[in-house]
Amino acid sequence: MSTPITVYDIPSIIPGNAWSPNVWKVRYVLNYKGIPYQTEWVEYPDIEPLYAKIGAKSHITKPDGVTPLYTVPVLHDQSTGVVISDSAEIARYLDKAYPDTPTVFPSGTDAFHYAFMLWKTISVHCRRFLRDSKEKNTSNGRTLEEMAPKGADKEKEWARLREDFGTIDAWMKKEDKYFMGDVISYADFTICAWLLYIRIVYGADSEEWKNILKWQKGRWGALVKNLE
């Protein structure tokens, strides 16, 4: 018998298939809570029909501010009939619907998490995982190779990324294992999902990933390891 929860994700050619950081946030939450689920892989052209089929609603729009943008993650809980398409809202739903599992939004931390999620990690150079249809929808017709910074521009963007992670590091105490000390929360999954994304697109043996492991005295490599 299949599990009642289905998570929809975008397939790729990498080992394990999964690469999307936003879906990784949901996967972290489900794994942490110990909630069984199954993954269904959906190609980009099939995402909009999927929304119509299962009754999902888009939570974001294309650059025109009007046209819905259909993307993942999408979670369908057949036991309740609930369908949600935003990673943070999925996490909040799982806290409410499964109260006997570890919470990822501890009581009294709504303001903390809202402020945390306003912070945006910059985009970094990645290999071409996406098809032309995705590029045309989200990149004004430019390919990912054309969007990716090179040379001095690449160095500048990596310096920005390191500075951004330094800002986050300054929010934490030296001895903190997680963003809330010894307590795991959605903030940890948010950052770790993006770290996994970088490791996946560059490779665990890449100079880029090895450099990140050295940033802020190894805090980020330790976070990834702790959440495995």
Side-chain angles (χ1 to χ4, degrees), residues 58-59 93 123 132 155 192 204 215 226:
S58 174
H59 66 284
Y93 163 75
S123 297
D132 290 343
E155 292 180 8
C192 209
W215 291 355
N226 289 336

Side-chain angles (χ1 to χ4, degrees), residues 116-134:
F116 187 89
M117 285 184 283
L118 289 178
W119 180 86
K120 301 294 182 181
T121 304
I122 65 169
S123 297
V124 296
H125 179 192
C126 63
R127 300 190 182 109
R128 185 171 182 166
F129 284 103
L130 312 182
R131 297 182 184 274
D132 290 343
S133 60
K134 175 64 174 178

